[in-house]
Amino acid sequence: MRALARIDLAAIERNCARLAAVAAPAQLCAVVKADGYGHGAVAAARAAQAGGAAWLAVATADEAGDLRTAGIQGPLLVMGALSAPELTVALRARADVVAWRERFVAELAAHPDADGTGVHVKLDTGMGRLGTRDPREASRTAAAVAAAPRLRLAGAMTHFATADEDAAFAREQLARFADWSRGLRAAHSGVPLHAANSAATLAIPESRLDMVRCGIAVYGMDPFGADPFRHGLRPALELRSYVAEVKRLEPGESVGYGRRFVAAAPTWIGTLPLGYGDGVRRALSNDCDVLVGGRRVPLVGTVSMDNITVDLGPEPPERGAEAILIGAQGSERVPAEEWARRLGTINYEITCGISARVPREYHRDGVAAPP
Ligand SMILES: Cc1ncc(COP(=O)(O)O)c(C=O)c1O
């Protein structure tokens, strides 16, 4: 295979089981937006449910529709803002939606597809994106939902801005949410409360409330950008290719656009037929390791759209050898977090950035498993 993303569904399942155990008695909502953080939303959703996720969440109405079209059942929340046409798509997918304005609730209550729709009211406690900052407006919105015979007040939520890097600010947000939700609960008893993302679920126990919304950890990546294994998480995604061509480079000869690698000594160069068109970011030029033959070899030269080159060293290498870009080979491991560090970004962007051109292949602990 030129380029292949192999996804271990057993890893997703076990990560969910782990998160569900950590969160209990709170329920686990697995976030499968952005095509399951690049892993494939439908397959990830099924594995997450098998691992104990009671809820699924997506960002867009189309994502909800796609899950239902694929036959995914169960509680589903669309977390994003919805335009009028998107609202129709979300409702037809029998998804719960998020509200923070009375006007939106009025539109919803009058919508022909809204029968029985669950609505989660969002208070913005410090993220500054969606939700209302005004607790009174949030309460009025909740009251409007409760008063609409065709709607259900299904939840109250907020979202943390810094759970991965500043727990103190996350706790301030949680305190604001608690101040508001205390009154809300007095008026509407038993409304489920949810706030925690993966980082908060793992690091701020009191934030788990009635449900946690975990994304990155579901896929076995570390919400803090460190080693996921320290939380008992297992990365589900491996990005692999193979050595399609090998050639010897003499001192002074170069590889790739701009001649950004010039051999100082005789060496063997391997060409792997994937590039930035597949999600191997160009900024990794001369700054990445690839696993070939159980060892780390440096990516040398410029990442092109369809090819990268690696320095295999002085031994004449094997054409056709397997190359692991993200994942493990022998005792060596290149996690998505390593790419993120080199690129000055987060692991989320690494797996979301593996393009649609890369086929996804599913397995369970190495045994082929259709999604
Ligand atoms: C509202 C909301 N909740 C939960 C999550 C899941 O976050 P994470 O992937 O950090 O667990 C996201 C993702 O960004 C989100 O937007």
Side-chain angles (χ1 to χ4, degrees):
M1 262 291 190
R2 181 189 72 77
L4 181 65
R6 292 188 78 238
I7 320 291
D8 187 352
L9 297 174
I12 293 180
E13 205 174 304
R14 280 197 282 265
N15 293 331
C16 284
R18 163 115 191 94
L19 292 164
V22 165
Q27 290 192 311
L28 171 64
C29 172
V31 179
V32 297
K33 61 188 177 147
D35 203 23
Y37 291 43
H39 294 63
V42 171
R46 287 211 180 94
Q49 287 180 329
W55 278 78
L56 299 169
V58 291
T60 74
D62 281 343
E63 289 174 335
D66 290 347
L67 290 179
R68 293 303 195 210
T69 302
I72 303 288
Q73 309 280 334
L76 174 59
L77 173 64
V78 177
M79 301 188 293
L82 294 165
S83 65
E86 288 166 340
L87 179 60
T88 299
V89 173
L91 296 179
R92 290 189 179 158
R94 290 168 286 109
D96 282 16
V97 298
V98 179
W100 54 92
R101 301 219 182 289
E102 286 164 277
R103 183 128 57 94
F104 179 77
V105 175
E107 261 173 56
L108 194 51
H111 197 288
D113 298 307
D115 261 335
T117 296
V119 182
H120 300 240
V121 174
K122 185 164 195 176
L123 182 71
D124 176 9
T125 55
M127 180 60 136
R129 303 187 313 194
L130 303 179
T132 173
R133 283 188 171 150
D134 178 358
R136 282 161 310 187
E137 183 172 36
S139 296
R140 285 196 306 270
T141 304
V145 174
R150 296 164 65 229
L151 304 180
R152 278 181 304 115
L153 183 58
M157 64 188 287
T158 193
H159 189 44
F160 295 124
T162 64
D164 55 333
E165 54 188 49
D166 178 357
F169 185 74
R171 287 196 166 94
E172 278 177 37
Q173 286 194 253
L174 186 60
R176 269 176 229 139
F177 187 60
D179 283 348
W180 170 66
S181 58
R182 217 172 290 119
L184 183 83
R185 275 256 176 104
H188 311 279
S189 67
V191 180
L193 307 179
H194 48 104
N197 55 5
S198 297
T201 299
L202 293 169
I204 309 175
E206 67 272 27
S207 73
R208 294 171 189 151
L209 306 177
D210 299 308
M211 181 167 87
V212 298
R213 305 185 307 265
C214 294
I216 196 77
V218 162
Y219 307 98
M221 289 183 281
D222 187 59
F224 310 94
D227 185 353
F229 284 80
R230 72 199 173 119
H231 300 293
L233 300 170
R234 262 190 30 193
L237 181 142
E238 172 191 271
L239 177 62
R240 67 159 70 177
S241 179
Y242 75 105
V243 179
E245 185 55 281
V246 292
K247 56 187 50 157
R248 197 174 145 84
L249 227 62
E250 298 300 335
E253 291 182 326
S254 65
V255 289
Y257 288 117
R259 305 193 68 219
R260 290 203 172 79
F261 174 78
V262 180
T267 193
W268 286 90
I269 295 294
T271 300
L272 280 43
L274 82 176
Y276 62 77
D278 301 286
V280 183
R281 293 258 298 275
R282 193 168 177 276
L284 291 171
S285 298
N286 278 323
D287 186 21
C288 183
D289 285 342
V290 178
L291 306 179
V292 179
R295 63 193 175 97
R296 282 176 174 259
V297 297
L299 187 162
V300 292
T302 303
V303 172
S304 338
M305 188 183 291
D306 315 306
N307 292 286
I308 59 172
T309 38
V310 294
D311 185 353
L312 296 166
E315 297 297 318
E318 199 193 326
R319 217 176 250 113
E322 172 192 276
I324 301 292
L325 288 100
I326 296 173
Q329 195 185 53
S331 57
E332 282 290 349
R333 191 154 65 92
V334 177
E337 287 77 12
E338 181 176 320
W339 279 30
R341 266 194 306 281
R342 291 179 189 270
L343 290 165
T345 183
I346 51 175
N347 41 13
Y348 301 63
E349 202 184 16
I350 302 302
T351 57
C352 284
I354 298 174
S355 73
R357 187 165 87 167
V358 179
R360 270 64 173 171
E361 183 184 272
Y362 296 96
H363 67 99
R364 295 178 52 84
D365 289 330
V367 179

